């Protein structure tokens, strides 16, 4: 009789997902506090997949555009660690790259840094080429096109409140 090995659920990712649902339900402030508690728990040197995921969503809860950029940069740094270390989570993080770069492009655009925004938009487009067809990929491509339009129309430099991730 063959035994199928079951993988244990990742409780940290489950907890992050629960807070994401709270945020999507409209309780941004409470979500920010819970995300920050999780960040304190896993720490700056915790699992890169956890840090990438958490920082990626924590950025959306920020009131200040500079803080949002800082969290998105933390997410990208953690994603790069998984790739550099050859960690198995690197595969999971690869799907984040288009969204990570798209969010950084939006952050930089909101801060009036159009050249940096264009750089990250190009990186988002390149990373999105590897996405499979489907809801996530379609959403990322639509967001890339919307941001390209904003940049083409003259930058749209004013920061807007945090948005939902594609």
């Amino acid at each position: 009789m063959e035994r199928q090995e079951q993988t244990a659920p990742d409780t940290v990712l489950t907890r992050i997902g629960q807070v994401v649902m709270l945020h999507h339900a409209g309780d941004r402030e409470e979500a920010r506090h819970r995300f920050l508690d999780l960040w304190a728990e896993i720490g700056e040197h915790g699992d890169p997949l956890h840090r990438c995921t958490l920082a990626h969503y924590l950025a959306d809860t920020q009131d200040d555009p500079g803080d949002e950029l800082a969290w998105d940069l933390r997410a990208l740094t953690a994603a790069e660690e998984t790739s550099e270390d050859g960690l198995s989570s690197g595969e999971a993080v690869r799907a984040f790259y288009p969204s990570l770069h798209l969010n950084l492009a939006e952050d930089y655009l909101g801060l009036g840094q159009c050249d940096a925004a264009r750089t990250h938009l190009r990186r988002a487009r390149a990373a999105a080429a590897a996405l499979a067809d489907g809801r996530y990929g379609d959403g990322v491509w639509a967001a890339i096109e919307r941001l390209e339009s904003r940049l083409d129309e003259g930058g749209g430099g004013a920061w807007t409140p945090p948005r939902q991730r594609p």
Side-chain angles (χ1 to χ4, degrees):
M1 175 188 281
E2 280 185 40
R3 256 184 122 167
Q4 290 186 350
E5 200 173 304
Q6 292 186 4
T7 57
D10 187 323
T11 58
V12 173
L13 291 178
T14 299
R15 291 168 62 202
I16 292 169
Q18 291 168 339
V19 180
V20 168
M21 289 190 304
L22 177 69
H23 179 230
H24 287 179
D27 198 344
R28 201 164 142 261
E29 187 71 25
E30 181 62 25
R32 178 176 39 241
H33 290 298
R34 289 187 189 187
F35 280 143
L36 288 171
D37 288 345
L38 275 169
W39 185 263
E41 187 179 313
I42 65 172
E44 287 282 333
H45 303 290
D47 181 288
L49 175 61
H50 295 160
R51 287 185 290 121
C52 175
T53 306
L54 182 54
H56 182 60
Y57 289 108
L58 186 51
D60 284 342
T61 67
Q62 301 306 302
D63 293 325
D64 179 87
D67 292 339
E68 184 174 7
L69 173 62
W71 283 108
D72 280 329
L73 287 169
R74 283 183 185 103
L76 181 62
T77 298
E80 290 169 345
E81 285 179 34
T82 64
S83 299
E84 290 170 5
D85 294 341
L87 298 172
S88 61
S89 58
E91 184 97 10
V93 169
R94 241 187 308 280
F96 269 132
Y97 275 106
S99 185
L100 291 171
H101 285 294
L102 179 62
N103 293 334
L104 285 163
E106 289 179 2
D107 295 342
Y108 283 118
L109 179 59
L111 291 167
Q113 298 178 30
C114 293
D115 289 340
R118 283 185 180 88
T119 296
H120 282 282
L121 188 58
R122 280 191 301 275
R123 291 176 183 164
R125 181 174 278 287
L131 292 178
D133 289 337
R135 186 174 174 199
Y136 176 71
D138 294 346
V140 169
W141 280 108
I144 288 170
E145 290 169 11
R146 283 191 305 272
L147 188 55
E148 278 180 339
S149 293
R150 284 178 54 205
L151 276 165
D152 290 345
E153 291 171 1
W159 183 74
T160 55
R163 70 271 169 221
Q164 301 297 320
R165 297 285 181 210

